[in-house]
Amino acid sequence: MATARTTETGGRADTPTLLLDTAIAVIAEHGLRGLTHRALQEAAGLKHGSVTYYFKTWDLLVLAVVDRMVEIERDRSGPVIHDLVRSLAVRPQGQQAEPDYDRIAALLQQWWTASRDLLLARFELDLAGARQPAVREAMARCGAEFRRAAELVALAAGSPDPELDAQVLVKLMDGLMLDFVIRPPQDRRHLALGLRHAVEAIRRNHAP
């Protein structure tokens, strides 16, 4: 496995960030069981005891990994959310805008392609959370971050109950992401059509 020496934004990585980015890659390649202090320090190319110095226990390491995942995906998802919310905004004449679903699907595909390791790690952690309460709580915080973003989309689509519609939208996107990870490459038309169905369903269900 290649050692990560730069941050996700391209700058020089500090040691904790290097360890967390490498941990995501380890989980993606070997599963959560493969994430040990020894495996991580070897993958990161650091000396013995480096991981323990920053993350005393395995639980603390996993919780930090989840926080790092949220940080990375917040940056990557920003342009997609911005484009979708902007394109859903109501026009001055009161007519709803028609989103450029093809463009947004292209952004999604670019985002998910760059984030494949992270998506794999996320699904590994979601499954682990079914059995480990600490992991489940951490992933719940991670999910809340994306539900808040989905609420903005639901509001822009005209939903009077954005919290409910956001949960449905997130579940749909989770399914599309899982399909993207396990069956690449994915036809971009599927992403565009899935987005269209989700947005139009919100509009249709809450039309006056």
Side-chain angles (χ1 to χ4, degrees), residues 84 101 104-105 108 173 190-200:
L84 187 51
Y101 292 110
I104 296 166
L108 273 176
M173 298 309 294
H190 297 166
L191 297 180
L193 187 60
L195 283 170
R196 181 185 295 275
H197 285 336
V199 170
E200 290 183 356

Side-chain angles (χ1 to χ4, degrees), residues 22-166:
T22 306
I24 291 170
V26 170
I27 296 171
E29 184 172 349
H30 302 290
L32 192 56
R33 290 185 178 181
L35 182 65
T36 65
H37 280 54
R38 180 176 179 178
L40 179 53
Q41 70 191 17
E42 289 179 356
L46 299 176
K47 63 183 180 180
H48 177 72
S50 298
V51 180
T52 305
Y53 179 80
Y54 293 101
F55 308 103
K56 303 299 183 185
T57 67
W58 186 86
D59 286 345
L60 288 175
L61 172 61
V62 171
L63 294 179
V65 166
V66 174
D67 288 340
R68 176 61 177 157
M69 289 168 57
V70 171
E71 179 184 4
I72 295 170
E73 287 305 274
R74 183 186 296 129
D75 291 339
R76 291 183 177 174
S77 64
V80 182
I81 300 299
H82 178 268
D83 264 34
L84 187 51
V85 170
R86 183 176 181 179
S87 63
L88 285 168
V90 177
R91 297 185 187 279
Q93 295 84 359
Q95 296 180 345
Q96 291 177 315
E98 177 66 11
D100 186 347
Y101 292 110
D102 289 336
R103 169 179 162 73
I104 296 166
L107 287 172
L108 273 176
Q109 196 169 51
Q110 181 181 354
W111 164 23
W112 292 351
T113 298
S115 301
R116 190 170 186 275
D117 276 2
L118 192 145
L119 295 178
L120 277 169
R122 178 188 164 189
F123 288 126
E124 285 280 349
L125 287 161
D126 275 333
L127 288 172
R131 301 178 181 86
Q132 301 177 44
V135 176
R136 181 167 61 250
E137 291 175 9
M139 292 307 292
R141 293 196 300 273
C142 178
E145 178 82 16
F146 295 102
R147 280 195 299 276
R148 284 192 289 271
E151 283 183 25
L152 296 178
V153 175
L155 277 169
S159 170
D161 192 350
E163 183 177 352
L164 176 61
D165 284 324

